[in-house]
C-alpha cells in the first residue's frame, strides 16, 4: 500500500541546488536565515545507518492489514529477492534526519512503476511538503533510466466504505499529481499465506502520460493481472515453499476471477479526478482543470564557463600591465630590481586567478 509521506517545509528561497550522489538525491532550499534540506536515499544494505530508522518508522506507521513483513523487506534491501522486477527501498530524510520510508517496484513485464509504501512519522505530515519529496522520489527513476508507462498504487478501504485519515490525505495530494482513481472492483491480495485480514477492499490509483477519462476493461484486467502475478506472486515466491506458492497462487486466481465476474457487463472502466469533480471552481470550460502541474523538477543545467578564454584574457592583461610598469619605471628612473619584484607579484596574481578558474567546479 502507498501511504502519505510529508515533511515540514516553507516556500523555496532564492537558491535551490539538487545534488546527485550515487543513490542519494538531496534538495536544499535556502531563504533568509534558514536552510532546509530534503533527501531521498536508496537503501542497498541493511548495514546502512539510515536503514533501521527508516524501517522502524515504517513498522510503527503501517497498520497490520497493509504491512509487509520487515524481515522480507530486509531481504529486499540486501538485494536477495529473485525476480525479473527491480525493487527500490528508500530512506526519506528532512534536515539530515530520517523521517520516513518508501518502497517501489518496477514491474518490467507491464512497464509499471508500482508504489508499495511511502510513509513518514505523523508529526511531519504536512501536505505542502509532500510535493518536493515526491518530486525527488520520481527524479530518482528518471535519472536512473527507469522507463515506465504507468505509475500505480493502492489505497485500501480497510474493511470500511469510509477512507481513513492517512488515505484521505494521500488521495488529495495524489490527485494534484494527476493520479486518477480507477472506478472498478479491486482487492489487495493477502500479504503472505493465511493472512485473510490483509485481503482488504481497495482502489487502484494510476497516472498516465495522456489525459484519459476511461480505459478498456481488458486494459484494467491486464493491469490487475500484472500486479497480482508479476508483483505479489513474484515477491512471495522468495519466502514460500513450492507447495505454499501453489496455495497462494490459488488465492490470487480466486480473487482475480471475482474481479472479472464483477466486470462481465462493462466494456470500459471510468477514471475519476476528484479535484475536478468535487471543486466548484473546476469545470470543463475552466482552463485550470486542463493545466497539469504534476511531475518532478528537472536538474538545472549549469552554464559552462569559458575558462580558456578567461585565462587568455588574464595572460594578455598581465603582459600589458607588465609593459606599462616597465616603461613607467624607466620614466621614473626606478631600478630593475624593483621592477622585477613588481613583475613577480603580478605574475603570481595571474597564476592564482587562472588556477581558480580551472579548479572552481561551480
Amino acid at each position: 500500500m502507498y501511504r502519505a509521506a510529508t515533511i515540514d517545509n516553507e516556500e523555496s528561497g532564492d537558491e535551490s541546488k539538487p545534488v546527485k550522489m550515487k543513490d542519494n538525491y538531496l534538495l536544499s532550499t535556502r531563504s533568509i536565515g534558514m536552510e532546509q534540506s530534503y533527501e531521498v536515499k536508496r537503501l542497498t544494505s541493511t548495514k546502512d545507518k539510515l536503514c533501521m530508522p527508516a524501517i522502524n518508522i515504517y513498522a510503527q506507521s503501517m497498520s497490520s492489514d497493509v504491512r509487509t513483513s520487515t524481515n522480507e523487506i530486509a531481504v529486499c534491501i540486501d538485494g536477495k529477492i529473485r525476480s525479473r522486477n527491480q525493487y527500490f527501498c528508500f530512506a526519506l530524510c528532512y534536515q539530515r534526519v530520517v523521517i520516513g520510508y518508501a518502497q517501489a517496484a518496477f514491474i518490467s513485464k507491464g512497464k509499471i512503476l508500482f508504489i508499495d509504501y511511502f510513509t513518514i512519522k505523523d508529526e511531519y505530515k504536512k501536505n505542502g511538503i509532500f510535493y518536493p519529496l515526491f518530486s525527488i522520489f520520481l527524479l530518482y527513476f528518471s535519472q536512473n533510466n527507469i522507463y515506465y508507462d504507468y505509475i500505480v498504487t493502492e489505497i485500501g478501504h480497510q474493511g470500511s466504505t469510509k477512507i481513513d485519515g492517512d488515505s484521505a490525505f494521500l488521495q488529495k495530494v495524489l490527485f494534484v499529481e494527476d493520479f486518477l482513481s480507477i472506478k472498478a472492483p479491486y482487492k489487495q491480495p493477502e500479504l503472505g499465506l493465511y493472512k485473510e485480514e490483509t485481503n482488504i477492499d481497495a482502489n487502484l490509483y494510476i497516472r498516465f502520460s495522456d489525459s484519459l477519462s476511461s480505459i478498456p476493461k481488458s486494459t484494467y484486467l491486464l493491469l490487475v493481472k500484472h500486479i497480482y502475478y508479476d508483483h505479489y506472486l513474484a515477491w512471495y515466491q522468495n519466502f514460500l515453499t513450492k507447495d505454499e506458492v501453489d496455495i497462494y497462487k490459488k488465492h490470487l486466481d480466486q480473487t482475480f476471477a471475482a474481479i472479472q465476474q464483477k466486470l462481465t457487463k462493462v466494456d470500459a472502466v471510468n477514471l475519476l479526478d476528484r479535484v475536478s469533480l468535487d471543486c466548484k471552481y473546476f469545470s470543463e470550460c475552466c482552463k485550470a482543470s486542463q493545466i497539469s502541474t504534476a511531475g518532478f523538477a528537472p536538474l538545472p543545467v549549469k552554464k559552462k564557463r569559458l575558462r580558456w578564454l578567461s585565462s587568455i584574457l588574464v595572460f594578455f592583461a598581465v603582459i600589458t600591465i607588465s609593459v606599462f610598469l616597465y616603461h613607467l619605471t624607466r620614466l621614473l628612473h626606478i631600478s630593475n630590481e624593483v621592477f622585477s619584484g613588481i613583475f613577480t607579484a603580478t605574475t603570481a596574481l595571474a597564476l592564482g586567478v587562472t588556477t581558480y578558474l580551472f579548479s572552481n567546479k561551480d
Side-chain angles (χ1 to χ4, degrees):
M1 300 293 294
Y2 175 42
R3 290 296 183 185
T6 53
I7 44 185
D8 288 336
N9 184 34
E10 63 179 35
E11 292 184 3
S12 298
D14 58 357
E15 183 176 341
S16 181
K17 185 179 181 182
V19 180
K20 178 183 177 183
M21 296 175 289
K22 295 182 180 179
D23 285 320
N24 184 49
Y25 285 76
L26 172 67
L27 172 65
S28 295
T29 59
R30 295 193 183 121
S31 57
I32 298 176
M34 180 174 290
E35 177 177 352
Q36 296 190 350
S37 65
Y38 311 95
E39 189 174 1
V40 174
K41 168 69 183 301
R42 186 179 178 187
L43 301 172
T44 56
S45 171
T46 49
K47 296 180 181 179
D48 191 314
K49 65 180 181 179
L50 302 183
C51 183
M52 287 310 299
I55 293 300
N56 287 337
I57 292 171
Y58 160 80
Q60 295 167 10
S61 302
M62 293 292 98
S63 59
S64 60
D65 54 1
V66 296
R67 186 170 61 232
T68 301
S69 166
T70 54
N71 291 333
E72 295 173 5
I73 291 177
V75 173
C76 179
I77 291 174
D78 284 329
K80 296 179 180 179
I81 295 288
R82 300 184 305 275
S83 172
R84 71 174 66 184
N85 299 334
Q86 290 178 266
Y87 294 97
F88 306 88
C89 303
F90 301 93
L92 307 177
C93 304
Y94 172 63
Q95 300 295 67
R96 306 290 182 175
V97 176
V98 178
I99 62 158
Y101 172 78
Q103 181 177 315
F106 176 60
I107 307 174
S108 57
K109 193 172 181 181
K111 291 188 177 181
I112 301 167
L113 180 63
F114 189 83
I115 304 174
D116 287 292
Y117 300 103
F118 206 106
T119 183
I120 68 163
K121 298 171 73 173
D122 287 342
E123 59 265 34
Y124 292 98
K125 287 180 179 176
K126 309 293 181 183
N127 65 351
I129 306 308
F130 170 84
Y131 299 107
L133 194 60
F134 191 66
S135 175
I136 303 170
F137 173 76
L138 293 182
L139 178 63
Y140 174 88
F141 299 100
S142 174
Q143 292 295 302
N144 286 279
N145 301 320
I146 306 298
Y147 301 114
Y148 48 83
D149 292 332
Y150 319 106
I151 308 178
V152 182
T153 191
E154 301 168 335
I155 295 181
H157 294 163
Q158 297 174 300
S160 172
T161 56
K162 294 184 178 180
I163 198 167
D164 62 54
D166 284 344
S167 296
F169 168 74
L170 176 61
Q171 185 185 71
K172 180 179 180 180
V173 294
L174 282 184
F175 279 132
V176 177
E177 280 292 315
D178 287 351
F179 278 79
L180 301 172
S181 173
I182 304 179
K183 191 176 181 181
Y186 180 80
K187 288 185 76 74
Q188 175 188 271
E190 293 182 14
L191 302 180
L193 201 61
Y194 306 125
K195 294 186 177 181
E196 295 182 7
E197 72 280 4
T198 64
N199 188 205
I200 61 174
D201 291 325
N203 279 112
L204 287 181
Y205 287 72
I206 190 168
R207 192 170 96 179
F208 298 92
S209 57
D210 299 321
S211 178
L212 300 174
S213 59
S214 66
I215 57 174
K217 177 180 68 175
S218 58
T219 300
Y220 175 68
L221 291 175
L222 183 60
L223 188 68
V224 175
K225 190 173 183 179
H226 282 310
I227 294 171
Y228 277 13
Y229 297 98
D230 298 319
H231 178 49
Y232 279 100
L233 183 61
W235 175 275
Y236 286 110
Q237 283 176 334
N238 290 271
F239 306 103
L240 303 176
T241 66
K242 186 179 182 304
D243 290 339
E244 290 174 333
V245 168
D246 291 338
I247 296 174
Y248 188 74
K249 185 177 181 301
K250 289 180 181 179
H251 158 66
L252 294 178
D253 292 340
Q254 293 171 354
T255 308
F256 185 65
I259 292 175
Q260 287 180 302
Q261 180 63 31
K262 293 179 181 179
L263 292 174
T264 53
K265 297 182 180 180
V266 301
D267 297 322
V269 294
N270 293 326
L271 305 176
L272 302 182
D273 175 2
R274 296 249 178 227
V275 173
S276 298
L277 289 176
D278 296 343
C279 180
K280 64 181 180 181
Y281 297 106
F282 280 75
S283 66
E284 293 182 359
C285 61
C286 178
K287 289 185 177 180
S289 64
Q290 304 168 21
I291 297 174
S292 173
T293 57
F296 54 85
L299 289 174
V301 178
K302 296 181 179 179
K303 295 181 179 180
K304 295 183 179 179
R305 295 182 177 180
L306 300 177
R307 296 175 180 175
W308 283 105
L309 179 59
S310 300
S311 300
I312 292 173
L313 292 175
V314 170
F315 176 75
F316 281 107
V318 170
I319 293 177
T320 303
I321 294 172
S322 298
V323 171
F324 170 77
L325 291 175
Y326 174 75
H327 287 290
L328 182 62
T329 55
R330 293 292 298 272
L331 180 65
L332 298 176
H333 304 289
I334 298 175
S335 64
N336 291 335
E337 288 79 6
V338 175
F339 172 74
S340 64
I342 296 174
F343 181 77
T344 301
T346 55
T347 304
L349 177 62
L351 179 62
V353 171
T354 302
T355 302
Y356 171 79
L357 289 174
F358 278 91
S359 62
N360 185 14
K361 295 181 179 180
D362 294 331

